[in-house]
Amino acid sequence: DPSELVVTGPESRVRDARKARTDPFDLTRVLKDSEQDLATYIGDPELRTASAPRVKVRVRVVQKAR
């Protein structure tokens, strides 16, 4: 959450923006479904997020079939 980020900046740069990155999700000791609140980053220095640049990332853990 959120499922989308609102990005502001020059129209041509916003139009070409396709992805944002987050801090790494720490999987150390993750044994069940987990979530972490992570900072987001847009690779273009002319773009900014319009709201708080954080997202909640959820990881679902499933047992591997043998």
Side-chain angles (χ1 to χ4, degrees):
D1 287 326
S3 61
E4 296 179 345
L5 292 174
V6 177
V7 176
T8 62
E11 182 179 353
S12 62
R13 301 296 266 265
V14 170
R15 190 177 336 107
D16 292 340
R18 295 288 177 251
K19 59 185 170 182
R21 297 191 185 280
T22 67
D23 282 339
F25 192 112
D26 183 6
L27 295 172
T28 307
R29 297 185 296 257
V30 171
L31 300 173
K32 60 182 182 176
D33 294 356
S34 300
E35 65 182 36
Q36 291 180 18
D37 187 41
L38 303 174
T40 60
Y41 305 95
I42 300 171
D44 186 329
E46 293 191 40
L47 299 178
R48 301 280 183 263
T49 56
S51 58
R54 300 192 70 79
V55 294
K56 187 175 293 187
V57 177
R58 293 180 187 92
V59 170
R60 184 169 175 227
V61 177
V62 295
Q63 186 173 356
K64 183 178 176 181
R66 295 181 188 219

